[in-house]
Amino acid sequence: MKSSKAQILTKFHKIPEIQFEDQQLTSFSGIVIFQLLFKNLNLKNKLKKCFTHLKVSPIFGHHLILLLLIVHLILGFRRLREIKYYRDDPMVLRLMGMKSLPDVSTISRSLGQLDDKSVKNIQNLSTSFVIDGLHREQFRRITLDFDGSVLSTRGHAQGSAIGFNKSKKGARSYYPLFCTIAQTGQFFDMYHRPGNVHDSNGAADFMLKCFKHVKSHLPGVVLESRMDGAFFNKDIVSLMASNHIKFTASVPFARFAELKQMIETCESWSDIDKTWSYFESQWKPKSWNDEYRFVFTRKKVKKPQKGPLQLDLFEPVSREYQYKVILTNKTESAKAIVQFHNGRGSQELLFGHAKNDTALSLIPCKRLEANQVFTLASMMAHNFSREMQMVAHPAARRAKAKRPTAWTFQKLETIRRQIIQRAGRLTRPQGKLTLTMSPNTAVKQDLLFLMDALQKAA
């Protein structure tokens, strides 16, 4: 039906008067979905058990401070002082189970009281939530990826150091090693380190801990992993093989001159597709005891050309190759191995989402334990956004070659914009607590769908 201009257009000139009253208005109506998720997970009680060893018993318990940090990051805030912008929001207060929120000084003081045991308890709890999700989904194979990520700090935070920092050269930083699950796109665990260590520092023990943890809770599951060249060494490769972990690892050319000669003398390359080709060999470095399968790959790339660019329209583009060597104990075809190994790039995307959406890159405090807890809160906020979507939707795909996530996840930023950040009013008509929102069809449909899915999963 066609509408007239008079039905569509009107004129507004007057600027309304502004008043501030206590109307039980909320700017975060959609946070009710996380209230329901946290209730299903019994999150508050589980967080409380992480701090039972502490003798101090403040009014604002340490578990409430940690829960507030998680909620703070889910809402899209970063700095602790930004709590003042929602401290009177009724939906946030209901989610927290509090009548008022603590001041920034109270939060900082509480974080300063945490010790190493508190950090380990929170780590174990965060990991247990991921394990529960994996157990529910019953994956036949689970892919654990390992990589470090630089977390810069402007000040002299305890335990930080000056090391490799691509974006902020010379800045002090932490360089934690993260373990992530490819199938769910979640953080599994973290090994905290100063910023001046090599990627492989402490990696072998941390990897073994992660593998044993998954094996003990999910027996019978096939475990696999993929690593870049920084983790390539005899100890880590032997650890993977002896624990029956299916793995791939990039081989650094600079450490093995023989690899260059093997590539140059190869006269027969087999095609994987139009871009990739390969050959393979059983080989071992001189100092190693066992031979492994080495897959030599080359990729066609456009060769940069000098001269006027317009001539490219008429002249054939010459090509050169980029070479990569992958060590593996997997028995699949070379094509499957290359695709599997290249799929580890999805971990970088996961880091990017967490740094943008849940402030993973932020170092807010001077004390080491406080910063570790903040990083864990960031990981948990990211994981809970994925957990909510996993519960609401069935897995979309299983065991593809690159091991993508089994769901098509929305970023937390998108969920925040479309659902969480919605104005509403809390009222009690006839004594029944009611949240009233604008009748936007898309918001109504998405919110009710998520609420229904979470209630069924309870």
Side-chain angles (χ1 to χ4, degrees):
M1 186 178 81
K2 189 173 182 180
S3 302
S4 66
K5 286 186 177 181
Q7 292 174 307
I8 301 297
L9 305 177
T10 187
K11 294 181 180 180
F12 294 107
H13 298 289
K14 191 172 182 178
I15 304 299
E17 238 179 78
I18 298 177
Q19 292 185 356
F20 295 93
E21 298 178 359
D22 185 7
Q23 293 282 342
Q24 287 293 292
L25 300 175
T26 176
S27 300
F28 306 104
S29 296
I31 200 67
V32 68
I33 59 177
F34 283 95
Q35 182 182 3
L36 184 53
L37 175 66
F38 294 166
K39 181 181 177 182
N40 292 350
L41 296 174
N42 194 22
L43 179 60
K44 187 180 292 187
N45 289 333
K46 290 181 179 179
L47 290 177
K48 192 172 184 178
K49 292 179 181 178
C50 294
F51 308 103
T52 53
H53 66 284
L54 297 177
K55 295 180 180 179
V56 180
S57 181
I59 295 175
F60 294 102
H62 296 97
H63 67 293
L64 294 176
I65 298 299
L66 178 54
L67 179 59
L68 180 57
L69 285 180
I70 295 171
V71 173
H72 182 76
L73 297 170
I74 288 174
L75 293 177
F77 295 95
R78 297 174 67 87
R79 302 290 178 182
L80 296 180
R81 60 177 174 266
E82 294 174 338
I83 287 174
K84 63 185 178 182
Y85 291 107
Y86 63 85
R87 63 179 307 109
D88 59 346
D89 190 287
M91 281 303 301
V92 176
L93 291 172
R94 288 190 64 82
L95 186 153
M96 293 294 304
M98 303 166 68
K99 291 184 178 179
S100 62
L101 297 182
D103 297 325
V104 175
S105 57
T106 304
I107 296 173
S108 299
R109 187 163 54 251
S110 180
L111 291 175
Q113 294 169 350
L114 302 182
D115 56 8
D116 187 56
K117 187 174 181 180
S118 302
V119 175
K120 289 180 180 177
N121 289 343
I122 298 168
Q123 261 183 286
N124 292 335
L125 179 61
S126 175
T127 301
S128 71
F129 285 130
V130 179
I131 288 287
D132 290 343
L134 293 173
H135 191 273
R136 181 189 64 239
E137 298 300 331
Q138 296 184 340
F139 291 105
R140 295 178 59 186
R141 64 179 66 236
I142 296 175
T143 309
L144 285 75
D145 292 324
F146 298 89
D147 204 359
S149 185
V150 177
L151 309 181
S152 301
T153 174
R154 295 180 180 179
H156 285 65
Q158 181 185 9
S160 64
I162 298 174
F164 174 77
N165 196 327
K166 188 176 181 180
S167 58
K168 297 181 180 178
K169 294 183 179 179
R172 299 181 70 86
S173 64
Y174 296 121
Y175 191 41
L177 176 60
F178 292 98
C179 174
T180 61
I181 305 296
Q183 283 75 12
T184 64
Q186 292 178 306
F187 291 97
F188 183 71
D189 205 351
M190 170 192 72
Y191 173 54
H192 209 272
R193 307 178 296 186
N196 61 345
V197 300
H198 187 264
D199 293 63
S200 61
N201 183 279
D205 291 339
F206 176 65
M207 289 177 173
L208 184 60
K209 172 192 168 186
C210 292
F211 292 134
K212 286 185 174 180
H213 199 154
V214 176
K215 275 188 175 182
S216 64
H217 289 85
L218 301 169
V221 170
V222 176
L223 295 182
E224 54 187 13
S225 185
R226 45 203 175 184
M227 305 169 289
D228 63 19
F231 299 96
F232 182 86
N233 63 56
K234 179 182 177 181
D235 293 338
I236 292 180
V237 169
S238 298
L239 180 150
M240 296 279 189
S242 61
N243 285 275
H244 308 288
I245 310 298
K246 300 297 182 181
F247 71 93
T248 60
S250 297
V251 183
F253 279 99
R255 290 167 52 187
F256 304 104
E258 300 95 324
L259 299 179
K260 181 174 182 290
Q261 183 179 2
M262 293 172 72
I263 289 174
E264 289 176 342
T265 57
C266 177
E267 298 179 355
S268 177
W269 291 79
S270 302
D271 290 338
I272 295 176
D273 53 34
K274 293 181 180 179
T275 304
W276 291 87
S277 53
Y278 79 98
F279 75 94
E280 57 181 89
S281 175
Q282 290 291 125
W283 184 73
K284 73 177 185 68
K286 292 180 181 179
S287 61
W288 290 26
N289 298 323
D290 301 316
E291 288 188 346
Y292 290 92
R293 181 185 181 189
F294 283 74
V295 180
F296 298 75
T297 66
R298 65 180 184 181
K299 178 185 177 183
K300 286 183 180 179
V301 294
K302 288 184 178 180
K303 183 179 179 181
Q305 292 187 343
K306 297 180 180 180
L309 296 178
Q310 290 85 345
L311 294 180
D312 289 348
L313 298 173
F314 309 101
E315 295 179 354
V317 178
S318 64
R319 294 181 179 274
E320 61 181 11
Y321 293 97
Q322 286 183 347
Y323 296 92
K324 181 189 294 184
V325 181
I326 301 171
L327 179 148
T328 184
N329 64 348
K330 294 172 74 71
T331 57
E332 289 93 331
S333 67
K335 179 178 180 180
I337 288 171
V338 171
Q339 289 179 326
F340 171 76
H341 189 70
N342 290 344
R344 69 179 303 276
S346 61
Q347 191 179 37
E348 295 298 329
L349 186 63
L350 190 157
F351 288 151
H353 287 169
K355 288 184 177 183
N356 291 330
D357 295 346
T358 60
L360 181 67
S361 59
L362 185 64
I363 305 297
C365 306
K366 290 186 177 181
R367 285 208 60 198
L368 174 62
E369 290 81 7
N371 288 326
Q372 289 176 322
V373 169
F374 188 89
T375 300
L376 289 168
S378 172
M379 292 163 54
M380 293 173 77
H382 171 87
N383 287 352
F384 288 143
S385 73
R386 295 292 173 92
E387 174 70 14
M388 182 262 296
Q389 297 179 70
M390 288 161 58
V391 171
H393 302 277
R397 47 182 177 245
R398 298 267 175 163
K400 289 194 174 181
K402 288 190 175 183
R403 304 298 188 267
T405 55
W407 291 262
T408 303
F409 287 112
Q410 283 188 319
K411 294 193 295 183
L412 180 55
E413 178 187 7
T414 302
I415 297 172
R416 191 181 293 142
R417 185 175 61 250
Q418 294 180 351
I419 298 177
I420 296 176
Q421 295 174 342
R422 290 288 160 177
R425 173 181 289 176
L426 282 172
T427 57
R428 288 184 178 272
Q430 300 179 350
K432 185 177 181 180
L433 181 65
T434 304
L435 175 62
T436 305
M437 302 169 62
S438 172
N440 182 286
T441 304
V443 175
K444 179 180 177 181
Q445 181 178 341
D446 290 349
L447 184 62
L448 292 181
F449 172 78
L450 291 171
M451 291 288 291
D452 181 61
L454 290 171
Q455 285 170 343
K456 289 178 179 178

